[in-house]
Amino acid sequence: MDHATIGRSEFDQATAVRPGPDPSRFLVDVDAGWTVGLKPNGGYLLALAARAAGGAAHAAGADHADPLAATAHYVAAPDPGPAEVHTTILRTGRSASQVRTTLVQGGRACVDAVFTLGTLRDDVDAWWEAEAPAEVAPLASCVAMGPNPPGADFTVAIRNRSELWLDPTGLGFASGQPSGRADFRGWTSFRDGRPADPLSLLYFVDSLPPATFDLVASGWVPTLTLTAYVRARPAPGVLRIRQWARVVDDGRVDEGCDVWDSRGRLVAQATQLAAIRIPDGATAGPGEG
Amino acid sequence: MDHATIGRSEFDQATAVRPGPDPSRFLVDVDAGWTVGLKPNGGYLLALAARAAGGAAHAAGADHADPLAATAHYVAAPDPGPAEVHTTILRTGRSASQVRTTLVQGGRACVDAVFTLGTLRDDVDAWWEAEAPAEVAPLASCVAMGPNPPGADFTVAIRNRSELWLDPTGLGFASGQPSGRADFRGWTSFRDGRPADPLSLLYFVDSLPPATFDLVASGWVPTLTLTAYVRARPAPGVLRIRQWARVVDDGRVDEGCDVWDSRGRLVAQATQLAAIRIPDGATAGPGEG
């Protein structure tokens, strides 16, 4: 299916929520198709929880379907398979509602998240913006990332769900030559043609390889906490995306992610703190090391 | 007192927590000295909740006193006076613990927050940093901000607790001539001489005027949600601070805040989403308007 619609797509199926044993609980299936290695992608889990949050707000009489702000704290990594999302309404208001969710699997709380929900407009222009969209090489000059990166002993299953074309300036890491910039830029969209919407931006902001791959060949870089703001309803078309790191220290790194729609509107921005293990004696390539 | 110590200072008194009716609940007093207008400062409330989170982690056997990451969602503004902080341990681990808190006043949940706690080092250098510290005019060339800004009909009581010297390039707003940059830079420290520590950085990242004052004379800009990462234990001395806005749209603005210690180490970084009401027809000064 090349033209999946919102509501009938791989992403919508994988984030579906069903009523649970009481109105505050929702049944979900953590989908094996949205994983990196054995573990579900953090942005996918955030979108899954957002569906439950929206369901809880709707049940409480609040017609706020769009995530405006979302923060997840990843407590334990769930496995693909059945789980529940427990919801608590913090506030329902005229313009926004706030809902807390906990994704629980096998009695274990895995992801704690809080959402501010509202209704986004599809404004072409912001009232004010400090910066122009990030410069990215034209899509035809970028490199499509596949689910089996060279040398990796795991599958990036999410690359079968969303396409990512990376600007070649950030691709040195794939051949063991990180640039030392930690700044990935590219283009992304769902493979099945589903348009991007506010919900799916919660996935896209966590869908790139760790920007630190462009510094050092570390192991995986698990997200500890992720915060995303969705600023406008995206126009149809491929998304422009940038992910960058600012500081690596003492086992942790912060990474920012910005997403622009096809009109150049900044539609989502995110920040995350992740754990990273730097190999002994390694320096950030190319640098002096 | 010009040389208050950690544990015996205005900030420590205002963030004190006492055991409550059960081990998960802490009694606090929201202090009228840490307000802007009638309402407590959001960073102060985050630090107050962090004290309770640390107490809960300690009671659970986790010796993790420093906030590494914190996110608050501001549901309702509490008033100065008695309140409780309810805590839930999400996880205790070897290197970090995660605790959820809810500040409750008069039966109303006001601030929902989640903390990742651990133990920070006082490394002089990060392993890798993308940027140098923001350029700020020397302190002697900056302008001390007082608790009664010209033309404002409210008191910024936090300015009696922490000093803020703003770089004059961002000060046009005070005379009705916003620059249109939305980028405040300056220096800050506690008035009573208490050194900065990881806990107090949760306050400092929300202690500047809204960067949007440098765009337009809007009303107050209440924080909806604030996320802070504390990256290292600050060295003694005055903090260098920058707060900036990136996008203003549809009633909301994101603001970043970075804090460096006296060695130039990035010790805290924060992002917030706030509500803003743009006066009809206003443009971001000076611009074309």
Side-chain angles (χ1 to χ4, degrees):
Chain A
M1 51 180 176
D2 282 328
H3 297 287
T5 55
I6 292 174
R8 297 169 65 87
S9 72
E10 292 173 335
F11 178 73
D12 295 283
Q13 290 169 37
T15 57
V17 301
R18 304 184 303 281
D22 73 58
S24 72
R25 291 162 67 179
F26 295 84
L27 307 179
V28 301
D29 284 297
V30 177
D31 193 303
W34 297 79
T35 49
V36 175
L38 297 174
K39 293 302 183 182
N41 169 268
Y44 158 68
L45 292 175
L46 187 60
L48 183 60
R51 290 279 297 269
H58 182 75
D63 193 18
H64 295 141
D66 296 327
L68 308 183
T71 293
H73 290 259
Y74 298 92
V75 178
D79 295 310
E84 284 194 13
V85 180
H86 300 183
T87 64
T88 304
I89 301 281
L90 299 176
R91 187 175 72 97
T92 58
R94 193 171 45 83
S95 63
S97 298
Q98 289 166 305
V99 182
R100 187 169 67 210
T101 64
T102 308
L103 190 148
V104 179
Q105 189 178 59
R108 186 173 64 157
C110 294
V111 183
D112 189 275
V114 178
F115 297 89
T116 300
L117 306 169
T119 304
L120 282 162
R121 305 197 306 202
D122 60 355
D123 305 12
V124 174
D125 296 314
W127 180 76
W128 179 84
E129 285 181 289
E131 306 146 58
E135 288 185 29
V136 184
L139 197 149
S141 308
C142 290
V143 178
M145 305 299 287
N148 296 107
D153 55 358
F154 56 89
T155 299
V156 184
I158 58 169
R159 286 282 80 80
N160 292 319
R161 297 289 179 270
S162 68
E163 289 193 283
L164 173 65
W165 298 269
L166 277 189
D167 190 312
T169 57
L171 274 178
F173 78 91
S175 53
Q177 302 287 332
S179 79
R181 277 187 300 266
D183 186 344
F184 287 157
R185 300 170 185 217
W187 306 93
T188 191
S189 64
F190 285 122
R191 275 190 193 272
D192 66 6
R194 180 199 193 274
D197 66 349
L199 180 74
S200 59
L201 292 172
L202 298 182
Y203 160 69
F204 283 113
V205 295
D206 190 41
S207 68
L208 263 60
T212 50
F213 281 10
D214 196 27
L215 293 177
V216 64
S218 71
W220 195 240
V221 184
T223 305
L224 301 169
T225 177
L226 172 69
T227 292
Y229 304 149
V230 182
R231 305 303 303 271
R233 191 174 297 284
V238 174
L239 299 168
R240 176 191 300 246
I241 194 162
R242 176 185 178 216
Q243 179 159 295
W244 69 97
R246 292 185 61 208
V247 177
V248 181
D249 63 17
D250 196 15
R252 286 178 290 277
V253 56
D254 66 295
E255 293 187 89
C257 184
D258 285 341
V259 184
W260 296 264
D261 70 8
S262 56
R263 305 168 304 192
R265 176 77 159 86
L266 184 73
V267 289
Q269 49 194 159
T271 184
Q272 66 172 269
L273 190 69
I276 184 169
R277 190 183 296 266
I278 304 295
D280 281 348
T283 55
E288 293 83 358
Chain B
M1 52 180 176
D2 282 325
H3 297 286
T5 54
I6 291 175
R8 296 170 65 87
S9 73
E10 292 174 336
F11 179 73
D12 294 284
Q13 290 169 37
T15 57
V17 302
R18 305 184 303 280
D22 74 57
S24 72
R25 290 161 71 179
F26 296 84
L27 306 180
V28 301
D29 282 298
V30 177
D31 193 303
W34 297 80
T35 49
V36 176
L38 297 174
K39 294 300 184 183
N41 170 267
Y44 159 67
L45 293 175
L46 187 61
L48 184 60
R51 290 279 297 269
H58 183 74
D63 193 19
H64 294 139
D66 296 327
L68 309 182
T71 294
H73 290 259
Y74 298 92
V75 178
D79 295 310
E84 284 194 13
V85 180
H86 299 183
T87 65
T88 304
I89 302 279
L90 300 176
R91 187 174 72 96
T92 57
R94 192 172 47 81
S95 64
S97 298
Q98 289 166 304
V99 182
R100 187 169 68 212
T101 65
T102 307
L103 190 149
V104 179
Q105 189 177 59
R108 186 174 65 158
C110 293
V111 183
D112 188 275
V114 178
F115 297 89
T116 299
L117 304 169
T119 304
L120 281 163
R121 305 197 307 205
D122 61 354
D123 305 11
V124 174
D125 296 314
W127 181 76
W128 179 85
E129 285 182 289
E131 305 146 58
E135 288 184 28
V136 183
L139 197 150
S141 307
C142 290
V143 178
M145 306 298 287
N148 296 106
D153 54 359
F154 56 88
T155 298
V156 185
I158 58 169
R159 286 282 80 80
N160 291 321
R161 297 290 179 270
S162 69
E163 288 193 283
L164 173 64
W165 297 268
L166 277 188
D167 190 313
T169 57
L171 274 177
F173 78 91
S175 53
Q177 303 286 332
S179 79
R181 278 187 300 265
D183 186 343
F184 286 158
R185 300 168 185 218
W187 306 92
T188 192
S189 64
F190 285 122
R191 274 189 193 270
D192 66 6
R194 180 198 194 275
D197 66 349
L199 180 74
S200 60
L201 292 172
L202 299 182
Y203 160 69
F204 283 113
V205 295
D206 191 40
S207 68
L208 264 59
T212 50
F213 281 9
D214 197 28
L215 294 176
V216 64
S218 71
W220 196 241
V221 184
T223 305
L224 301 169
T225 177
L226 172 68
T227 292
Y229 304 150
V230 181
R231 304 305 301 273
R233 190 173 299 283
V238 174
L239 300 168
R240 176 192 299 247
I241 194 162
R242 177 185 177 217
Q243 178 158 295
W244 70 96
R246 292 184 62 207
V247 178
V248 181
D249 63 16
D250 196 15
R252 285 177 292 276
V253 57
D254 66 294
E255 292 187 271
C257 184
D258 285 341
V259 184
W260 296 264
D261 70 9
S262 57
R263 305 169 302 191
R265 176 80 157 85
L266 184 72
V267 288
Q269 49 192 160
T271 183
Q272 66 171 268
L273 190 68
I276 184 170
R277 189 181 297 266
I278 304 296
D280 282 347
T283 56
E288 292 84 358

